[in-house]
Amino acid sequence: MSSESETTGDSAATSAANGGAAEPEKKPRSFLRELPILILVALVLSFLLQTFVARVYLIPSESMEPTLHGCAGCTGDRIVVEKIGYRFGDPKPGDVIVFRGPDSWSQDFVSTRSSNVVIRGAQEVGSLVGLVPPDENDLVKRVIATGGQTVECCDDQGRILVDGQPLDEPYVVMDFPFVPGSQTCDTALKSARCFGPVTVPEGHLWMMGDNRSNSADSRYHVGDDMQGTIPLDNVIGKAVFIALPPSRMGTISSPDIQGK
């Protein structure tokens, strides 16, 4: 007498008995065959993130000390620069931003690309996915004044003025001497803090480093055709986070320096 299990036996045997062919078992795909596809997907995602969302930049100089650490031959901060926010609004005074240096800011810039065509091509591809820095003069400074505002230094306490109002800048700890009565903007021995007044053209920004005594910023380029300002089109994004080294990890503040 047949049991129930006999009537629901092996399908391949049943198919063969009925003259049909057994279905071949699917072999698992080799990891080595899938690896190139995984790498390509990862590179495409990295390109999209680096281009439209955020990118990591290395701080190479002292111009933003102590907010951002950097110097020749040392381990500089690596900062995350987000690119989305400024698609919906312009930078505000107090923001720390990364921007492409205008021509007058880039005269001493030396390309980091190899003269070898093959190596240079590999470097360009690496730059697209964030493995190699862009071959451009990217700078990081703080926004001090925006289009239409007039900026100058100094008031009787040595503070920067924007539209006649002094700025609140707690991040500035290194600056040129300013001594009321003996070294100001009106004395024979003039303070190196003094500049302006400069009215920022519309669509431009006045930029300064937090390390006021060691920053080639808008003050340094005030004699160029844009009076030291940079176009909004040159802005890459806002510096929001110190990612490395771990001991300095944290957010980058954007205080309301104009009190608005």
Side-chain angles (χ1 to χ4, degrees), residues 12 27 102 129 147 150 159 181 187 189 244 251:
K27 294 182 179 180
V129 296
T150 298
R159 296 174 297 183
T187 56
L189 179 60
L244 289 171
T251 57

Side-chain angles (χ1 to χ4, degrees), residues 1 29 31 41-42 49 71 135 140 149 159 185 193 196 213 253-254 260:
M1 184 171 63
R29 297 183 67 175
F31 173 73
V41 171
L49 287 172
C71 57
D135 191 32
V140 57
Q149 295 186 320
R159 296 174 297 183
C185 297
R193 293 189 191 188
S213 56
S253 66
S254 300
K260 293 184 179 180

Side-chain angles (χ1 to χ4, degrees), residues 5 28 41 58 89 110 131 140 150 154 169 185 199 219 236 260:
S5 63
V41 171
L58 171 68
V110 178
L131 298 177
V140 57
T150 298
C154 305
E169 299 189 281
C185 297
T199 299
R219 299 168 297 171
I236 294 172
K260 293 184 179 180

Side-chain angles (χ1 to χ4, degrees), residues 129-142:
V129 296
L131 298 177
V132 178
D135 191 32
E136 59 189 19
N137 187 28
D138 294 337
L139 304 168
V140 57
K141 307 288 181 190
R142 194 179 295 271

